Amino acid sequence: MQNSDNIKIVLVNTSHPGNIGAAARAMKNMGITQLVLVQPEDFPSGVARGRSASAIDVIENAIVVDTLEEAIADCGLVIGTSARSRKIPWPMVTPESCAQKIVTESTEGKTALVFGREDAGLNNDELQLCNYHVQIPTNPDCSSLNLAAAVMVICYEVFKCDASFEGKAAVAEDEFWDREKATGEQVEHFYEHLEEVMIKIKFHDPENPRQLMQRMRRLFSRIRIDVMEMNILRGILSNIEYHIKGK
Ligand code: SAH
């Protein structure tokens, strides 16, 4: 697979090591090898190694981190998986369009596909770190797939898309851009700065936050802000801080 180094599969807080092994196997079947585990409950594990079969290298090279923020810090595109729709709706994509975005973006930089806990999926804070959510269509009476099965479906879509890609999508008009997209880390710093300034100018009350930050995150996440735009916004925030100082 082209640019597979730029596609990370991130599993958050997985409880069953067998699922880590089966996910690694599904990934390798589909030519994807970068596995990142956020606080796995039981890893390293013989069960994970066993279930990975010939994808043992994926398990051995897996990176373990403490937070999802860390896992996606260098990613310009983050897509989270969700079996159900949330309180604040987020931009949703189909598995096919998710794959297209990942394959296209991976020609430029790092991307991540994020999967949740077996029992509870991804929480709202984690889902808000994602630019898009992808839902695998299912029988509505039984909509939640096994974690490794969900990894397989998404990786298969990425594999199919990559096979028919041949660089075409990279120049597709709606994906063409003159600047790199801001990474997860840059965007997180921006949200912190934005929140600080909104508190200073008394627009935002941290004692009564309502859904302001979620809505701000959804707004900027939808825009897929680039590095230059991010610098402009940070500059505006710094100037506001400078001008309100001492008032
Ligand atoms: N009860 C949980 C389901 C967890 S299933 C919930 O309601 O969110 C474990 C993980 O598998 C999910 O976090 C997600 O990453 C993936 N998954 C399962 N079913 C899915 C679906 N239909 N679409 C997308 N991802 C799915």
Side-chain angles (χ1 to χ4, degrees), residues 85-151:
S85 48
R86 305 282 155 161
K87 201 160 141 206
I88 294 195
W90 215 256
M92 291 290 300
V93 291
T94 61
E96 292 83 356
S97 131
C98 159
Q100 201 169 29
K101 288 183 187 304
I102 291 285
V103 169
T104 304
E105 192 86 12
S106 66
T107 62
E108 306 282 333
K110 302 265 182 212
T111 63
L113 288 157
V114 186
F115 295 81
R117 299 158 187 82
E118 289 93 331
D119 54 349
L122 294 167
N123 65 34
N124 283 331
D125 289 346
E126 290 159 349
L127 281 164
Q128 283 166 21
L129 295 173
C130 304
N131 300 109
Y132 300 94
H133 296 163
V134 58
Q135 191 167 19
I136 300 164
T138 52
N139 170 2
D141 298 332
C142 182
S143 64
S144 168
L145 276 75
N146 161 267
L147 171 59
V151 171

